Amino acid sequence: MNLREDTFKSGFIVGILVPIVAYGMWTLLFSTLTSLNIMDPVGFSATWRARTLALLAICSNLIPFNLYKKAHQDNSMRGMVLPTVVLVGIWVYLFQGAIFKV
């Protein structure tokens, strides 16, 4: 399958893979900064690091989404929206107590 073609399927796959890879990269960066004593290992709250890493990974979908937009690949953009919305829903569900302070 060619991920450069303008299909819903290619956008869907990119929408899933990019946050997974980005999560790994952000985790590596945070771990490196913590081991170098540049960053506090705990953060502001107990779930701060997990929330931030997950949110940064989800937001990394903006990069390929913008590239698809510039290339006028509307079907691929539509394919990216579904996994992004699902990931945001999961993120809100998992961290609703910390986000909304209910």
Side-chain angles (χ1 to χ4, degrees):
M1 182 180 129
N2 184 5
L3 293 178
R4 292 181 185 220
E5 60 189 36
D6 185 22
T7 63
F8 183 88
K9 185 178 178 182
S10 65
F12 187 82
I13 291 171
V14 169
I16 292 173
L17 291 180
V18 167
I20 292 171
V21 171
Y23 185 81
M25 291 173 52
W26 285 113
T27 302
L28 179 65
L29 178 66
F30 274 44
S31 298
T32 303
L33 291 174
T34 302
S35 67
L36 295 173
N37 291 327
I38 297 174
M39 186 176 195
D40 186 24
V42 177
F44 301 111
S45 68
T47 61
W48 179 83
R49 181 172 284 197
R51 276 193 333 239
T52 304
L53 288 173
L55 189 59
L56 287 171
I58 293 168
C59 289
S60 66
N61 265 348
L62 291 171
I63 296 168
F65 190 83
N66 194 27
L67 294 173
Y68 281 141
K69 181 182 175 188
K70 287 182 179 181
H72 302 288
Q73 294 185 344
D74 297 333
N75 291 324
S76 296
M77 288 170 49
R78 287 184 188 104
M80 285 194 68
V81 169
L82 180 62
T84 303
V85 169
V86 168
L87 288 171
V88 168
I90 293 169
W91 183 83
V92 169
Y93 176 75
L94 290 175
F95 300 111
Q96 65 186 344
I99 297 169
F100 302 116
K101 302 268 184 187
V102 178

